[in-house]
Amino acid sequence: MFTKLQPKENIQKYIDGLQLIGSLSRLSSESSIPYLYYRIAERLFCSSFKAKDFSRSDISIDAKKDNIGIGLKTFLAGNNKSFQKIAEFNKEQSNYNPLKLKDKIIQISELRNKRIEFTKRATEIENSIYHCVVREQNKFKIIEEKLDSINIDRIKNIKENSGSIKFDDGINEYSFLISKSTLTKKFQTSSYLFEIEIDILEDPLRDLHNFFKTKLFEKSLIKTETIYLPLYGRDKHVFEKSGLNQWNADGRKRDPNEVYIPIPIKIHKYFPNFFPPRDQQFNLKLPNDKNLLSKVCQDGSKALMSYSNRDLGQWILRDVLKLEEGKILTYKMLEELGIDSVRIDKYGNNDYEINFAKSGSYEEFITDLENNNT
């Protein structure tokens, strides 16, 4: 579905990388089943296939290649029918908990589908798949299958067990884990694209030590910084006349797409040189790989805007959130999508990248900063 259509040299690079990482399994495990940390699997996949890495963006995919979105998984084969996490709905519990069993599953499914559609709009993908590295004794198996929305009209076989609710839509089987507010999907792993034999080194520490002592390496470090910004104001409220609703402010006539992302004073306190000076333009790369000329502006440099005051709003409000002109954005709308923040990565002095982040990301970021500084 994806991997077999890639250039042979890229496939071989990926296989070589998996064999290398798998061979080092005894750095962390004594098992004959090779170990693969999911973050390494994500980096290796994106590097091998020259895919865009979304693994830190808290959306429904982890990578993008051309117009295909890819959800990346790595897990044990088990009995070849493994339920794996595909979404989490902690913040939405108050909405679905009071509902009856079927209504609860329908609402959870609707939330899942909204996030998939949001991801499609934000990254401009047309199709999505799962790419899984399944771990077995001395081997990895690669499987791929469609990343489907849930067909709500065909939901059936709803059964509540101890701690979970199972159901299917005629295509996929799902299980909702009540205590963790987590939706899982059954992956069939008996058929696969190809398998990779893994020779696990007996003493990888020794082998690494010998290798690095006999090779010369040049360190090439790219200095980057990362911050998180809220898409809301105080008390988790998207104000009706500022921020992402700036178009609705009083005074002069405004473009219906005029918005800004708030930059709280704490960001300037901890990262005084993260952004260029006020009104100085810089490049802001979007998840769809397009670039916006952007700036910080307003008193205290409290606003992140596109240089043309309509471009950022066109992207967030119209292209991604699909809000009609004149409709007020609320925090509840963001909450339903599981996002309320953005992550800004800085590369060099003038290049930045923006990605959506899960609900609570800004607050967690600030809490960590304040704890570290005390």
Side-chain angles (χ1 to χ4, degrees), residues 1 59-63 68-73 85-87 112-120 123 125-132 143-151 169 171-172 174 183 185-187:
M1 297 173 66
I59 54 178
S60 298
I61 60 172
D62 300 296
I68 299 176
I70 303 110
L72 300 171
K73 300 283 182 191
K85 173 183 171 180
I86 59 171
R112 167 63 174 165
N113 290 351
K114 280 184 179 180
R115 294 186 185 182
I116 291 175
E117 290 303 312
F118 168 79
T119 297
K120 286 182 178 179
T123 60
I125 56 174
E126 295 178 8
N127 300 296
S128 301
I129 67 162
Y130 287 111
H131 174 97
C132 308
I143 69 167
E144 289 181 346
E145 58 181 74
K146 282 186 176 181
L147 195 163
D148 293 312
S149 296
I150 300 173
N151 190 329
D169 66 352
I171 300 173
N172 294 299
Y174 300 92
L183 182 65
K185 188 188 90 71
K186 181 184 281 189
F187 288 84

Side-chain angles (χ1 to χ4, degrees), residues 36 39 52 78-79 90 114 140 156 173 184-185 187 198 208 210 244 261 269 283 289 299 305 326 334 359-360 367:
L36 180 63
R39 289 294 187 202
K52 184 173 178 62
N79 61 358
N90 271 319
K114 280 184 179 180
F140 292 140
K156 58 184 180 178
E173 294 182 50
T184 67
K185 188 188 90 71
F187 288 84
I198 304 297
L208 285 171
N210 292 338
L244 294 184
I261 296 174
K269 173 185 174 182
N283 299 315
D289 290 330
D299 292 340
M305 297 183 70
L334 298 175
S359 297
T367 299

Side-chain angles (χ1 to χ4, degrees), residues 205-217:
L205 275 176
R206 179 199 63 202
D207 295 330
L208 285 171
H209 178 75
N210 292 338
F211 180 76
F212 277 92
K213 281 191 69 174
T214 57
K215 300 288 182 182
L216 296 176
F217 296 90

Side-chain angles (χ1 to χ4, degrees), residues 344-362:
I344 310 291
D345 297 310
K346 180 179 181 180
Y347 301 90
N349 293 322
N350 206 46
D351 293 303
Y352 298 76
E353 187 168 353
I354 184 171
N355 282 286
F356 291 102
K358 67 182 179 181
S359 297
S361 292
Y362 169 73

Side-chain angles (χ1 to χ4, degrees), residues 275-282 294-297 307 349-350:
F275 288 111
R278 177 177 167 177
D279 293 326
Q280 180 176 314
Q281 70 180 34
F282 56 87
S294 302
K295 61 182 178 180
V296 294
C297 54
Y307 215 72
N349 293 322
N350 206 46

